[in-house]
Amino acid sequence: MFRQALLTARRAGAQRASFVERHIDVCNPKGTCRSGSFDPSNILGSKTQLFYPKRDFTSTATKQSGHNKWSKIRHNKAIQDGKKNVLYNKLQKDLLIAVQVGGSPDPALNATLAQAIKKAKSQGLPKSNLERTLARASGGGDTNGKEILYEIMTNDSVGLMASFVSDNPARAKQAMNEIVKDNGARFTPTSFLFDKKAVVCVEVPASEVDKHVETLWDVAIDLGAEDVVNLAEEGGSDAEAAGTTAEGAPDANEKVEIEILGPPNLLATLSSTLSKPPHSFHLTESELQWRPKDPDAARASAEALSEESKEALRTLVEELEESPECVGVWCSID
Protein backbone atom coordinates (compact mmCIF):
# COMPACT_ATOMS: atom_id res chain seq x y z
CA MET A 1 0.00 0.00 0.00
CA PHE A 2 2.84 2.39 0.88
CA ARG A 3 4.75 1.61 -2.31
CA GLN A 4 1.62 2.33 -4.29
CA ALA A 5 1.16 5.64 -2.47
CA LEU A 6 4.78 6.62 -3.15
CA LEU A 7 4.57 5.68 -6.83
CA THR A 8 1.38 7.69 -7.19
CA ALA A 9 3.00 10.70 -5.58
CA ARG A 10 6.06 10.44 -7.85
CA ARG A 11 3.87 10.28 -10.93
CA ALA A 12 2.21 13.50 -9.76
CA GLY A 13 5.64 15.20 -9.97
CA ALA A 14 9.01 15.31 -8.36
CA GLN A 15 8.06 18.17 -6.08
CA ARG A 16 5.12 16.26 -4.60
CA ALA A 17 7.27 13.15 -4.11
CA SER A 18 9.94 15.20 -2.40
CA PHE A 19 7.30 16.66 -0.05
CA VAL A 20 6.05 13.20 0.93
CA GLU A 21 9.58 11.92 1.58
CA ARG A 22 10.50 14.93 3.72
CA HIS A 23 7.37 15.09 5.83
CA ILE A 24 6.33 11.49 6.41
CA ASP A 25 6.59 10.26 10.00
CA VAL A 26 7.81 6.82 10.88
CA CYS A 27 6.47 5.37 14.10
CA ASN A 28 7.60 2.15 15.73
CA PRO A 29 5.23 -0.17 17.64
CA LYS A 30 6.22 1.45 20.98
CA GLY A 31 4.75 4.76 19.88
CA THR A 32 7.97 6.79 19.58
CA CYS A 33 8.33 8.65 16.28
CA ARG A 34 11.05 10.28 14.26
CA SER A 35 10.69 12.53 11.22
CA GLY A 36 12.81 12.69 8.13
CA SER A 37 13.57 10.69 5.03
CA PHE A 38 12.84 6.98 5.05
CA ASP A 39 13.63 3.75 3.27
CA PRO A 40 10.41 2.07 2.09
CA SER A 41 12.03 -1.37 1.99
CA ASN A 42 12.99 -1.17 5.67
CA ILE A 43 9.58 0.05 6.68
CA LEU A 44 7.72 -2.65 4.79
CA GLY A 45 9.97 -5.26 6.29
CA SER A 46 9.09 -4.31 9.84
CA LYS A 47 5.94 -3.72 11.87
CA THR A 48 6.31 0.04 11.84
CA GLN A 49 3.42 2.20 10.65
CA LEU A 50 3.34 5.21 8.37
CA PHE A 51 1.43 8.41 9.12
CA TYR A 52 1.45 11.35 6.76
CA PRO A 53 -0.60 14.51 6.78
CA LYS A 54 -3.80 14.76 4.79
CA ARG A 55 -3.61 17.39 2.09
CA ASP A 56 -6.67 18.68 0.24
CA PHE A 57 -6.29 19.29 -3.49
CA THR A 58 -8.94 22.02 -3.46
CA SER A 59 -9.52 25.21 -1.55
CA THR A 60 -13.32 24.94 -1.78
CA ALA A 61 -15.04 24.64 1.60
CA THR A 62 -16.30 21.13 2.34
CA LYS A 63 -20.09 20.84 2.45
CA GLN A 64 -21.42 19.18 5.60
CA SER A 65 -24.08 16.48 5.53
CA GLY A 66 -26.69 18.78 7.06
CA HIS A 67 -26.80 20.75 3.79
CA ASN A 68 -26.97 17.94 1.27
CA LYS A 69 -29.51 15.42 0.06
CA TRP A 70 -29.65 13.63 3.40
CA SER A 71 -31.02 16.75 5.02
CA LYS A 72 -34.00 16.69 2.67
CA ILE A 73 -34.50 12.96 3.07
CA ARG A 74 -34.40 13.27 6.83
CA HIS A 75 -36.86 16.19 6.75
CA ASN A 76 -39.27 14.34 4.47
CA LYS A 77 -39.04 11.23 6.64
CA ALA A 78 -39.83 13.33 9.71
CA ILE A 79 -42.94 14.68 7.97
CA GLN A 80 -44.11 11.18 7.04
CA ASP A 81 -43.39 9.90 10.56
CA GLY A 82 -45.29 12.85 12.00
CA LYS A 83 -48.35 12.13 9.84
CA LYS A 84 -48.16 8.46 10.76
CA ASN A 85 -48.02 9.29 14.47
CA VAL A 86 -51.08 11.55 14.15
CA LEU A 87 -52.98 8.76 12.35
CA TYR A 88 -52.01 6.19 14.99
CA ASN A 89 -53.08 8.53 17.79
CA LYS A 90 -56.49 9.03 16.17
CA LEU A 91 -57.00 5.31 15.64
CA GLN A 92 -56.11 4.60 19.25
CA LYS A 93 -58.53 7.24 20.49
CA ASP A 94 -61.24 5.75 18.27
CA LEU A 95 -60.63 2.44 20.02
CA LEU A 96 -60.95 4.05 23.45
CA ILE A 97 -64.19 5.80 22.50
CA ALA A 98 -65.57 2.59 20.97
CA VAL A 99 -64.99 0.81 24.29
CA GLN A 100 -66.82 3.58 26.15
CA VAL A 101 -69.73 3.65 23.70
CA GLY A 102 -70.10 -0.13 23.39
CA GLY A 103 -69.56 -0.75 27.08
CA SER A 104 -67.07 -3.59 26.64
CA PRO A 105 -63.38 -4.03 25.67
CA ASP A 106 -64.31 -7.37 24.08
CA PRO A 107 -64.92 -6.97 20.32
CA ALA A 108 -67.09 -10.11 20.36
CA LEU A 109 -69.53 -8.25 22.61
CA ASN A 110 -68.97 -4.77 21.18
CA ALA A 111 -69.65 -4.35 17.44
CA THR A 112 -68.54 -0.72 17.53
CA LEU A 113 -65.17 -1.78 18.91
CA ALA A 114 -64.93 -4.60 16.37
CA GLN A 115 -65.38 -2.06 13.57
CA ALA A 116 -62.82 0.29 15.14
CA ILE A 117 -60.31 -2.58 15.35
CA LYS A 118 -60.93 -3.51 11.71
CA LYS A 119 -60.40 0.12 10.68
CA ALA A 120 -57.21 0.40 12.76
CA LYS A 121 -55.74 -2.74 11.19
CA SER A 122 -56.64 -1.65 7.66
CA GLN A 123 -54.83 1.66 8.20
CA GLY A 124 -51.67 0.03 9.52
CA LEU A 125 -51.87 0.46 13.30
CA PRO A 126 -49.11 -1.81 14.70
CA LYS A 127 -50.29 -4.84 16.64
CA SER A 128 -48.38 -3.73 19.74
CA ASN A 129 -50.17 -0.34 19.71
CA LEU A 130 -53.53 -2.05 19.28
CA GLU A 131 -52.97 -4.47 22.16
CA ARG A 132 -51.62 -1.73 24.42
CA THR A 133 -54.64 0.48 23.73
CA LEU A 134 -57.13 -2.31 24.45
CA ALA A 135 -55.29 -3.17 27.67
CA ARG A 136 -55.43 0.48 28.64
CA ALA A 137 -59.17 0.60 27.92
CA SER A 138 -59.75 -2.54 29.98
CA GLY A 139 -58.00 -0.98 32.96
CA GLY A 140 -60.65 1.75 33.35
CA GLY A 141 -60.02 4.79 35.52
CA ASP A 142 -58.62 8.02 34.12
CA THR A 143 -56.13 6.32 31.81
CA ASN A 144 -58.54 6.74 28.88
CA GLY A 145 -58.30 10.52 29.00
CA LYS A 146 -61.08 13.08 29.08
CA GLU A 147 -63.25 13.90 26.09
CA ILE A 148 -63.39 17.64 25.37
CA LEU A 149 -65.71 19.30 22.87
CA TYR A 150 -64.74 22.70 21.42
CA GLU A 151 -67.26 24.94 19.65
CA ILE A 152 -65.73 27.24 17.02
CA MET A 153 -67.05 29.85 14.58
CA THR A 154 -65.16 31.08 11.52
CA ASN A 155 -65.27 34.61 10.11
CA ASP A 156 -67.69 33.31 7.46
CA SER A 157 -70.14 32.14 10.16
CA VAL A 158 -69.39 28.47 9.63
CA GLY A 159 -69.80 26.52 12.86
CA LEU A 160 -67.42 23.75 13.86
CA MET A 161 -67.48 21.07 16.53
CA ALA A 162 -64.05 19.65 17.41
CA SER A 163 -63.78 16.60 19.64
CA PHE A 164 -60.55 15.96 21.56
CA VAL A 165 -59.55 13.21 23.98
CA SER A 166 -56.75 14.29 26.32
CA ASP A 167 -55.32 13.45 29.72
CA ASN A 168 -54.21 17.08 29.95
CA PRO A 169 -57.11 19.45 29.07
CA ALA A 170 -55.01 22.56 29.71
CA ARG A 171 -52.42 21.46 27.14
CA ALA A 172 -55.14 20.63 24.62
CA LYS A 173 -56.78 24.03 25.09
CA GLN A 174 -53.47 25.83 24.59
CA ALA A 175 -52.90 24.02 21.30
CA MET A 176 -56.44 24.82 20.23
CA ASN A 177 -56.04 28.51 21.07
CA GLU A 178 -53.06 28.80 18.74
CA ILE A 179 -54.80 27.07 15.82
CA VAL A 180 -58.07 29.00 16.18
CA LYS A 181 -56.34 32.37 16.58
CA ASP A 182 -53.96 31.81 13.64
CA ASN A 183 -56.91 31.04 11.35
CA GLY A 184 -59.00 34.03 12.36
CA ALA A 185 -61.70 31.96 14.08
CA ARG A 186 -63.08 32.24 17.61
CA PHE A 187 -64.57 30.12 20.39
CA THR A 188 -68.32 30.62 20.65
CA PRO A 189 -71.38 28.37 21.06
CA THR A 190 -72.17 26.48 17.85
CA SER A 191 -73.83 23.30 19.13
CA PHE A 192 -77.26 24.77 18.28
CA LEU A 193 -76.33 24.22 14.61
CA PHE A 194 -75.81 20.47 15.10
CA ASP A 195 -77.45 17.25 16.21
CA LYS A 196 -75.42 14.40 17.63
CA LYS A 197 -76.14 11.18 15.74
CA ALA A 198 -75.28 7.51 15.79
CA VAL A 199 -73.92 6.76 12.31
CA VAL A 200 -73.60 3.22 10.99
CA CYS A 201 -72.61 2.43 7.40
CA VAL A 202 -72.90 -0.98 5.74
CA GLU A 203 -71.49 -2.11 2.41
CA VAL A 204 -73.64 -4.13 -0.01
CA PRO A 205 -73.38 -5.25 -3.66
CA ALA A 206 -74.60 -2.58 -6.07
CA SER A 207 -76.76 -5.13 -7.85
CA GLU A 208 -78.71 -5.85 -4.64
CA VAL A 209 -78.85 -2.38 -3.13
CA ASP A 210 -82.64 -1.96 -3.40
CA LYS A 211 -83.28 -5.23 -1.58
CA HIS A 212 -80.86 -4.34 1.20
CA VAL A 213 -82.28 -0.84 1.62
CA GLU A 214 -85.72 -2.35 2.23
CA THR A 215 -84.27 -4.81 4.74
CA LEU A 216 -82.40 -2.09 6.56
CA TRP A 217 -85.50 0.08 6.69
CA ASP A 218 -87.47 -2.70 8.34
CA VAL A 219 -84.74 -3.68 10.83
CA ALA A 220 -83.22 -0.29 11.66
CA ILE A 221 -86.48 1.63 12.00
CA ASP A 222 -87.83 -1.08 14.31
CA LEU A 223 -84.73 -0.58 16.48
CA GLY A 224 -85.35 3.18 16.64
CA ALA A 225 -83.24 4.51 13.75
CA GLU A 226 -84.30 7.79 12.14
CA ASP A 227 -83.17 7.44 8.54
CA VAL A 228 -81.64 5.05 6.00
CA VAL A 229 -79.75 6.62 3.10
CA ASN A 230 -78.32 5.07 -0.06
CA LEU A 231 -75.07 7.04 -0.32
CA ALA A 232 -74.75 6.25 -4.03
CA GLU A 233 -77.97 8.16 -4.69
CA GLU A 234 -77.00 10.88 -2.21
CA GLY A 235 -73.70 11.39 -4.03
CA GLY A 236 -75.29 12.14 -7.39
CA SER A 237 -74.68 10.86 -10.90
CA ASP A 238 -70.96 10.13 -10.44
CA ALA A 239 -71.65 7.86 -7.47
CA GLU A 240 -74.44 6.10 -9.33
CA ALA A 241 -72.22 5.55 -12.38
CA ALA A 242 -69.55 3.96 -10.21
CA GLY A 243 -71.89 1.05 -9.45
CA THR A 244 -73.02 0.37 -13.03
CA THR A 245 -71.57 -1.15 -16.17
CA ALA A 246 -71.11 0.68 -19.48
CA GLU A 247 -74.60 -0.48 -20.48
CA GLY A 248 -76.09 1.03 -17.33
CA ALA A 249 -76.76 -2.28 -15.56
CA PRO A 250 -75.63 -2.77 -11.94
CA ASP A 251 -72.09 -4.14 -11.68
CA ALA A 252 -72.07 -7.29 -9.54
CA ASN A 253 -68.50 -6.61 -8.41
CA GLU A 254 -69.17 -3.06 -7.24
CA LYS A 255 -70.12 -2.16 -3.68
CA VAL A 256 -72.20 0.74 -2.40
CA GLU A 257 -72.67 2.07 1.12
CA ILE A 258 -75.94 2.51 2.97
CA GLU A 259 -75.98 4.86 5.94
CA ILE A 260 -78.21 4.45 8.98
CA LEU A 261 -78.76 7.43 11.31
CA GLY A 262 -80.19 7.32 14.80
CA PRO A 263 -80.00 8.82 18.30
CA PRO A 264 -76.60 8.54 20.02
CA ASN A 265 -77.70 5.91 22.55
CA LEU A 266 -78.60 3.55 19.69
CA LEU A 267 -75.09 3.16 18.25
CA ALA A 268 -74.16 -0.05 20.06
CA THR A 269 -77.56 -1.68 19.39
CA LEU A 270 -77.54 -0.83 15.68
CA SER A 271 -73.96 -1.98 15.20
CA SER A 272 -74.46 -5.24 17.04
CA THR A 273 -77.78 -6.17 15.43
CA LEU A 274 -76.76 -5.37 11.84
CA SER A 275 -73.33 -7.05 12.03
CA LYS A 276 -74.53 -10.37 13.50
CA PRO A 277 -76.73 -13.16 12.09
CA PRO A 278 -79.27 -13.32 10.62
CA HIS A 279 -78.33 -10.03 8.91
CA SER A 280 -74.50 -10.12 9.01
CA PHE A 281 -73.94 -6.86 7.16
CA HIS A 282 -70.37 -5.72 6.55
CA LEU A 283 -69.95 -2.54 8.62
CA THR A 284 -67.66 0.15 7.22
CA GLU A 285 -68.40 2.77 9.87
CA SER A 286 -69.84 2.87 13.38
CA GLU A 287 -69.38 6.07 15.36
CA LEU A 288 -70.96 9.15 16.91
CA GLN A 289 -70.94 12.26 14.72
CA TRP A 290 -72.19 15.85 14.83
CA ARG A 291 -74.41 16.47 11.82
CA PRO A 292 -75.90 19.80 10.62
CA LYS A 293 -79.33 20.31 12.13
CA ASP A 294 -80.72 21.49 8.78
CA PRO A 295 -79.04 19.54 5.92
CA ASP A 296 -80.69 21.63 3.18
CA ALA A 297 -79.48 24.89 4.72
CA ALA A 298 -76.04 23.34 5.19
CA ARG A 299 -75.77 22.55 1.47
CA ALA A 300 -77.00 26.01 0.50
CA SER A 301 -74.44 27.65 2.81
CA ALA A 302 -71.64 25.59 1.30
CA GLU A 303 -72.59 26.67 -2.23
CA ALA A 304 -72.66 30.33 -1.17
CA LEU A 305 -69.07 30.28 0.15
CA SER A 306 -66.35 31.77 -2.04
CA GLU A 307 -63.41 29.63 -3.11
CA GLU A 308 -61.14 31.65 -0.83
CA SER A 309 -63.43 31.00 2.15
CA LYS A 310 -63.61 27.30 1.34
CA GLU A 311 -59.82 27.08 1.22
CA ALA A 312 -59.52 28.90 4.56
CA LEU A 313 -62.04 26.48 6.09
CA ARG A 314 -60.15 23.47 4.74
CA THR A 315 -56.92 24.81 6.23
CA LEU A 316 -58.52 25.27 9.65
CA VAL A 317 -60.08 21.80 9.65
CA GLU A 318 -56.82 20.17 8.53
CA GLU A 319 -54.82 21.89 11.26
CA LEU A 320 -57.34 20.81 13.88
CA GLU A 321 -57.34 17.22 12.64
CA GLU A 322 -53.53 17.11 12.63
CA SER A 323 -53.50 17.67 16.38
CA PRO A 324 -52.52 14.34 18.01
CA GLU A 325 -55.41 14.54 20.49
CA CYS A 326 -58.14 15.36 17.96
CA VAL A 327 -60.80 12.69 17.41
CA GLY A 328 -62.95 14.46 14.82
CA VAL A 329 -64.04 17.80 13.35
CA TRP A 330 -67.51 18.51 11.97
CA CYS A 331 -68.80 21.54 10.04
CA SER A 332 -72.24 23.16 9.93
CA ILE A 333 -72.08 23.19 6.13
CA ASP A 334 -72.23 20.16 3.88
Side-chain angles (χ1 to χ4, degrees):
M1 181 178 72
F2 301 115
R3 286 175 176 169
Q4 183 64 36
L6 187 57
L7 288 173
T8 302
R10 283 176 174 166
R11 288 193 190 101
Q15 184 177 0
R16 172 63 178 159
S18 175
F19 173 83
V20 173
E21 290 184 356
R22 286 200 310 271
H23 293 82
I24 199 162
D25 289 334
V26 181
C27 299
N28 60 34
K30 294 182 179 181
T32 58
C33 301
R34 57 186 177 83
S35 299
S37 60
F38 64 98
D39 183 351
S41 61
N42 291 338
I43 293 173
L44 295 174
S46 64
K47 295 183 180 180
T48 56
Q49 298 175 331
L50 288 176
F51 299 92
Y52 51 90
K54 177 182 177 182
R55 182 176 179 183
D56 293 328
F57 289 90
T58 176
S59 60
T60 305
T62 304
K63 291 185 177 180
Q64 302 302 315
S65 61
H67 301 285
N68 65 8
K69 183 180 178 182
W70 159 242
S71 177
K72 295 179 181 179
I73 294 175
R74 180 175 58 188
H75 180 62
N76 291 337
K77 183 177 184 299
I79 293 175
Q80 295 302 320
D81 289 346
K83 291 182 178 179
K84 189 177 294 185
N85 288 336
V86 170
L87 173 62
Y88 289 171
N89 281 330
K90 291 184 185 302
L91 294 173
Q92 290 172 162
K93 292 183 188 303
D94 286 343
L95 292 170
L96 295 175
I97 292 175
V99 172
Q100 295 173 0
V101 171
S104 172
D106 184 356
L109 303 175
N110 186 343
T112 301
L113 176 60
Q115 174 57 30
I117 291 175
K118 186 184 298 184
K119 176 182 176 182
K121 289 180 177 179
S122 68
Q123 297 193 29
L125 181 68
K127 183 179 179 181
S128 59
N129 292 39
L130 176 61
E131 293 175 346
R132 187 165 56 249
T133 303
L134 293 178
R136 177 183 172 192
S138 302
D142 295 332
T143 56
N144 296 344
K146 180 180 179 181
E147 185 174 7
I148 312 166
L149 192 64
Y150 295 104
E151 301 178 46
I152 305 165
M153 184 74 75
T154 70
N155 282 338
D156 296 297
S157 299
V158 177
L160 281 77
M161 302 289 282
S163 177
F164 279 58
V165 172
S166 175
D167 54 4
N168 189 333
R171 179 187 62 204
K173 183 62 181 294
Q174 181 179 358
M176 283 288 295
N177 283 335
E178 295 178 2
I179 296 173
V180 170
K181 181 179 179 181
D182 290 346
N183 286 275
R186 65 188 186 278
F187 292 104
T188 191
T190 57
S191 58
F192 66 92
L193 297 170
F194 298 86
D195 284 325
K196 194 173 188 179
K197 299 291 185 182
V199 180
V200 178
C201 289
V202 301
E203 190 176 64
V204 300
S207 58
E208 301 176 357
V209 63
D210 292 336
K211 178 185 72 173
H212 289 301
V213 167
E214 289 184 11
T215 301
L216 286 167
W217 263 110
D218 293 339
V219 177
I221 298 302
D222 285 346
L223 291 173
E226 299 167 349
D227 199 6
V228 176
V229 181
N230 179 355
L231 295 183
E233 293 179 353
E234 190 77 6
S237 58
D238 291 342
E240 292 176 357
T244 60
T245 62
E247 292 75 21
D251 188 343
N253 296 322
E254 288 293 335
K255 304 287 185 180
V256 298
E257 284 189 315
I258 302 174
E259 181 182 76
I260 301 95
L261 299 176
N265 60 354
L266 206 62
L267 180 62
T269 301
L270 283 171
S271 300
S272 178
T273 302
L274 296 177
S275 63
K276 294 179 180 179
H279 309 295
S280 301
F281 284 105
H282 172 60
L283 271 60
T284 58
E285 192 171 40
S286 173
E287 63 182 15
L288 296 174
Q289 297 182 6
W290 289 91
R291 292 295 184 91
K293 191 179 290 290
D294 186 342
D296 293 332
R299 280 189 285 270
S301 297
E303 293 174 359
L305 279 183
S306 66
E307 288 302 319
E308 183 180 355
S309 295
K310 290 179 182 178
E311 184 61 31
L313 178 60
R314 276 191 289 266
T315 300
L316 172 58
V317 172
E318 287 175 2
E319 290 187 15
L320 290 171
E321 290 181 335
E322 287 174 359
S323 175
E325 296 176 317
C326 179
V327 175
V329 180
W330 299 273
C331 298
S332 63
I333 63 172
D334 191 359

